[in-house]
Amino acid sequence: MLKAERRNGGTADHSLVPSFPHSDSSALDPCVHCGFCLPACPTYLVTGDEGDSPRGRIVLMRSLERGEMSPNDSGLLEHLEGCLGCLGCEPACPSGVGYGRGLEAAREQIFQARGLSPLARLVLGVFRYGKIWRPLFAMARALRATGLPHLLSGRGRFGFGMGMLASSSEMTEQAEQRKAVGEQGGSSLGVTAPPPRGPVAPPTVVLFRGCVMNALFSHVHEATKRTLRVNGYRVIEARGQVCCGALHEHAGDVGGARSLAAANVAALEGRADFIVVNSAGCGALLKDYGRLMGSDAAAKLAAKVRDVSELLAEKGPRPGAPIGLDVAYDAPCHLQHAQRVLEAPLAMLEAVPGLRLRILPGSDRCCGSAGIYSVLRPAMARAVLDSKIASVAEARPRPDLIVTGNPGCLMQIGAGLRAARLPIGVAHPVELLDLSYDEAGYYG
Ligand code: SF4
Ligand code: SF4
């Protein structure tokens, strides 16, 4: 129930509040309240409430900044916490408003005044410490291996959670479960491995492993490494990495995000020419480590960060063997809006001959996953997801696969498709290229 996610009662106290700790609140200054951003906002489209729109939230953030509203005001909290942080409003704005920067500043101010809700504290606490999340995800993997999450996936909260876990499986496992795309694979198509190409000293790439990606999507990490090698990169590993800190930063816990970022900078600094990331949410923050940390080392590291699609697109990439699937690309918000990477994932997929690639209406809109948003506000997250699933259901011909480059989106969209009983799988784009290379015999 959306209503159940709203806070009870008004607790506004109009005590003086500190000014924004972030200097970036000025990013909201250009807003002229024109409203062009409203149709791009998924939460506004669900509720039709001005307070759930970018324009309404900007008014609230400015009031908070000026001390006219307290960070404890229940209405302000409701609308600002209800924001997905998807940044869909930024490209829609003709005035160049930096909505994301303003939201970060407001959330940091709220965090400093109130801390986190008990649920958010619990979830973020888990991701802060590898000693907690590693065994938890190991249990999740063991459960996934039983096949039960696939059988138990459905519409209710439990069924949706099971659908999310089932959707973190490898693309080929999902295909077997659906008995739908298995026949598309077949045996090797007899394409001989291409001769090695590229410079004598190939560019080195260190893989950013992250937390959820490493725990549930290690198959995407393997696909990333294999496809990069085929395209002339030397891929190396680095120990000592932790969660990127994006979940913490989005919640306003900038201190928590900085401490995780510091560990990652120490682990990755000076290791390679590039740092490759295959999770849009992690990549967006890693590219922003310089601003987050305010250090030269972090800025230098951030300048080397690339989404896997960017590195592959830079090389062509090398074409693989044909795969005859209908595929719809869904752009993760933190790839298209935060990183402004639009073409590279499509270039990567175009290297798979025979793929019937489409972009469905609403594919550029948030799926409702949004970090830990789907845990904290499940009803709104599902309402936002529903319009995307409806668009997929209406597509003719129906796609075999939805591809998207972010773990939260893969699990959210995958669970939504399962809840709607649509026989459509989800995959990371690099999984398709990897399958195509495998079919081409590039891996020997
Ligand atoms: S954020 Fe941009 S598009 Fe939205 S109301 Fe302000 S100026 Fe207009
Ligand atoms: S970030 Fe997304 S949910 Fe928040 S105001 Fe902008 S478009 Fe709406």
Side-chain angles (χ1 to χ4, degrees), residues 30-37 55 58 92-95 97:
C31 182
V32 294
H33 309 288
C34 64
F36 286 162
C37 53
R55 182 174 63 184
I58 287 169
C93 173
S95 303
V97 170

Side-chain angles (χ1 to χ4, degrees), residues 314-329:
E314 208 172 292
K315 297 282 183 174
R318 174 170 289 162
I323 295 179
L325 288 176
D326 266 299
V327 171
Y329 174 67

Side-chain angles (χ1 to χ4, degrees), residues 238-260:
R239 294 172 67 86
Q241 300 179 42
V242 294
C243 166
C244 67
L247 301 177
H248 304 77
E249 204 221 12
H250 298 167
D253 180 5
V254 175
R258 281 187 182 132
S259 103
L260 291 164

Side-chain angles (χ1 to χ4, degrees), residues 130-142:
K131 282 185 180 150
I132 304 176
W133 63 256
R134 284 197 187 95
L136 283 178
F137 279 121
M139 285 190 274
R141 278 198 307 274

